[in-house]
Amino acid sequence: MYKQLVAIILASFFILITLAGCQEPPQEKSANTTTGQNDLKPSLKKAVKLVKKRIAARTWSEIIASGHINAVKLDWQLESALPRAGSTGAYHSTLLQGFAQSRGLTVTWHRVSNLAAMFEKLSAFEVDIIPRHLTITENRLAKYSFTYPLLRDKEVVIAKSGKHDFNASAINNLHLPIGSAYIESVVSQYPHWNVNVVKEQVSSQEMADHVAQGLSKYTIIDGFALETLKQYRDDIQSVFTLPKAINLAWAVNLNNDSFLHELNEFISVHHVMQMIEPERTVGFKQLRKDKLPLRVITRNSPETYFLWRGELLGFEYDLMRKFADIHKVKLVIVVADSYEEMLELLAEGKGDIIAAGLSRTKARTKKITKAKLATSIRYNRVKEQLVAHQDGELINELSDLKDRTITIRKSSSFWPTAQKLAKDFGANIVIANEDIATEILIAQVADKEIDLTIADSNLIAIEKTFRSQIITPLTFKENVPYAYLVRQNNPQLLAYLNEFIRKYYRGTFYNVVKNKYFYNERLQKSHKKHRLTSGSILSPYDDIVRSQVQPYHFDWRLIVSQMYQESRFDPLASNATGALGLMQMLPRTAEELGVKDLKDPEQAIASGVQYLDWTRNRFSKDLPVQEQIFFSLASYNAGYGHVKDAQRLARQLGLRSDRWFNHVEKAMLLLQRRQYYNKARFGYVRGREPVNYVRDIHQRYLSYIRITD
């Protein structure tokens, strides 16, 4: 009987998943609405103001009067990659936002699935601009106006890394996405090449994936895009450069001269600023006068700076963003892999401040002074603590460490403490690999893979919200100071930093940020445990969920299971990152989906269902139907980009990239390690969280099926 029940549950599950993957894609939405609004219930549609279709482009005066610029971007740009030099998605979004802010405007983003749809929206006057690296071609010039070129580039043929006998006189197996300017370049320069047109418009990243996987032998991308890809991957290479240079610019409608003039004026200033040498050591007052960005050197970690669901977060990042806002300067983050690299970047003038949770020790101060660097006053205090498993042998005093094993990196600031414990109390010290971050060592203690480690109290506070098994039986040092680092020849910046610390340290803003990252356990109310029986109502929102999932063909019980995981059915739930409501959506993402009030259960559920559908559609073309929901849930939790990184890593490790359990989930866990996330487009991710998220929702969903069937 038990085997029959399990078979019925699994059969039901896969039938439902099959239905989930077979729906028609949503139709294009009406003008002046963002994708997803027409799928909302009638009560929500009333809040959406539809206007008559325009017959001409909005002039600059009309744009100013409206207070916003209508811009379009691709679905895959819903989340930006961790900013890197040349990251095109972040580059255009940031640049247009900068233009809008300089004119007292905001940007309203419209989303489409491909490049052709971008031009359709522009032609229909539904948007004012396409802010994207667009190649200026003769065909496009006949229909649209372009800004001053943002970049002059050359197109390159790329192939899988390795030996290639590329022959420009006879090339086959060249794949190019439909509608791309690359096709026009080939037709005009190499008409004898055999081009295979990919029927879907995909990104340079995805075309590079096709080449790396052997699905295509060659493709063409911009040289700018190639340099970006090469920063974190080594499975592709350039084999040929097309000789004709191309100009890349933004597109607006023909004859919209007033808007074009404003854009060109801004771009001209932007180009002048870009000519500044990247290595500079000017004082802070000169930096502000020349409107140069403040470059903050940090590391990619849960304590300092990371990407979550498309939002840039981190304790150090939030503090530096506040400092930059106060002084009205742009903030640029420079990510380093090690403490030594941070010092080198600062000394060489490739950054202005190090803000990376660095403790100010005697040994470090001596080295810092020798390198002609200076430290700020203390902006944070932490404790240096031992991390142990709650089920391990009791540790009440230092003598209890005899014959216990402490795993620590030699480059860690805790290394001297570990050495003293070995010498004075008989502890065994194991040197951890340098690519294993302290948060990973804490996870290994929680999983009983290692005995003990040492960490600072801030990081331990973060990890305790995820790992209830860890304890801190001993504190070795109290009041360990954290400080910023600057060059000695930049006393102005040091003075402003110290002023910032004196004003905000332990104040309201500082405490809110510190609580956000180190002490907030999602602030969820404790909930009573109800035993569900056959025929039970799963949640107070079952009827709303049933109505919202119909256009998307999700099983309503899956969404209820996810809702419980996100908010425990609390419509006012919020977390430290700013996510709100039953489905814990970020307000910025919800607005792009046409949802305004995340405290309203109906709108909150609508936004969650739409976003899950968006992630599923992004995976639909390259995954078995039964796997789509697992990847979609992982993307909902950690972000689509992180899951794509894990897929690529899985292929490199010989695992299947189209299977979640025991394959891509293993790669996701590895993206917590420096040696892997350094080569990932989206950087560090707390991989254990999406892994547990998918498993928990899946198991609860199967239970819901058993209860309700």
Side-chain angles (χ1 to χ4, degrees), residues 211-275:
V211 168
Q213 296 169 44
L215 301 176
S216 308
K217 189 171 183 179
Y218 303 112
T219 191
I220 297 177
I221 61 175
D222 297 337
F224 189 81
L226 177 63
E227 290 305 310
T228 303
L229 295 175
K230 284 168 64 177
Q231 291 180 55
Y232 57 89
R233 60 190 300 173
D234 55 12
D235 54 356
I236 57 172
Q237 66 183 43
S238 171
V239 294
F240 183 73
T241 300
L242 275 66
K244 186 178 179 181
I246 56 172
N247 289 319
L248 303 169
W250 292 347
V252 299
N253 276 297
L254 285 174
N255 302 319
N256 197 351
D257 296 338
S258 58
F259 184 33
L260 193 62
H261 171 76
E262 294 291 330
L263 289 168
N264 285 337
E265 189 175 87
F266 175 80
I267 290 171
S268 296
V269 175
H270 169 73
H271 281 318
V272 172
M273 293 297 102
Q274 293 302 304
M275 292 173 66

Side-chain angles (χ1 to χ4, degrees), residues 194-440:
N194 181 24
V195 176
N196 297 291
V197 178
V198 178
K199 297 301 182 183
E200 296 175 332
Q201 297 225 12
V202 293
S203 65
S204 297
Q205 165 84 10
E206 290 171 306
M207 289 305 297
D209 286 342
H210 291 174
V211 168
Q213 296 169 44
L215 301 176
S216 308
K217 189 171 183 179
Y218 303 112
T219 191
I220 297 177
I221 61 175
D222 297 337
F224 189 81
L226 177 63
E227 290 305 310
T228 303
L229 295 175
K230 284 168 64 177
Q231 291 180 55
Y232 57 89
R233 60 190 300 173
D234 55 12
D235 54 356
I236 57 172
Q237 66 183 43
S238 171
V239 294
F240 183 73
T241 300
L242 275 66
K244 186 178 179 181
I246 56 172
N247 289 319
L248 303 169
W250 292 347
V252 299
N253 276 297
L254 285 174
N255 302 319
N256 197 351
D257 296 338
S258 58
F259 184 33
L260 193 62
H261 171 76
E262 294 291 330
L263 289 168
N264 285 337
E265 189 175 87
F266 175 80
I267 290 171
S268 296
V269 175
H270 169 73
H271 281 318
V272 172
M273 293 297 102
Q274 293 302 304
M275 292 173 66
I276 302 297
E277 289 294 327
E279 295 182 10
R280 54 174 166 79
T281 56
V282 300
F284 190 58
K285 288 183 179 178
Q286 190 65 40
L287 179 146
R288 294 172 64 187
K289 181 181 177 181
D290 293 343
K291 297 183 179 180
L292 298 173
L294 178 70
R295 300 163 305 169
V296 174
I297 302 167
T298 190
R299 57 196 174 93
N300 186 202
S301 78
E303 271 187 292
T304 55
Y305 171 70
F306 60 96
L307 184 75
W308 185 82
R309 294 190 184 180
E311 293 287 336
L312 293 172
L313 301 169
F315 177 67
E316 302 292 350
Y317 175 72
D318 279 7
L319 291 181
M320 285 293 96
R321 187 173 59 177
K322 178 72 169 180
F323 178 77
D325 288 345
I326 289 171
H327 295 286
K328 295 180 171 56
V329 293
K330 281 186 178 181
L331 181 65
V332 171
I333 298 296
V334 180
V335 178
D337 295 333
S338 67
Y339 173 65
E340 297 295 336
E341 185 184 358
M342 289 187 218
L343 298 184
E344 290 176 9
L345 289 170
L346 184 60
E348 293 171 0
K350 295 179 180 177
D352 304 305
I353 304 173
I354 296 178
L358 296 182
S359 55
R360 192 177 60 202
T361 64
K362 288 183 179 180
R364 280 184 171 175
T365 300
K366 185 177 180 180
K367 186 173 184 178
I368 287 166
T369 303
K370 187 177 179 180
K372 297 184 179 181
L373 305 178
T375 61
S376 71
I377 62 176
R378 179 190 68 212
Y379 71 90
N380 194 13
R381 290 191 300 185
V382 296
K383 300 175 184 178
E384 189 176 281
Q385 296 180 310
L386 184 73
V387 181
H389 195 285
Q390 63 182 6
D391 297 336
E393 293 184 27
L394 289 177
I395 300 175
N396 296 316
E397 53 190 32
L398 291 171
S399 60
D400 292 333
L401 293 175
K402 182 176 176 56
D403 297 327
R404 298 295 294 270
T405 301
I406 302 174
T407 304
I408 202 83
R409 293 190 319 278
K410 198 169 184 177
S411 65
S412 167
S413 61
F414 314 123
W415 179 253
T417 299
Q419 291 294 94
K420 186 173 177 59
L421 295 174
K423 180 181 178 181
D424 297 347
F425 301 100
N428 298 318
I429 306 301
V430 172
I431 301 175
N433 291 334
E434 286 298 321
D435 70 297
I436 300 180
T438 303
E439 56 266 23
I440 302 301

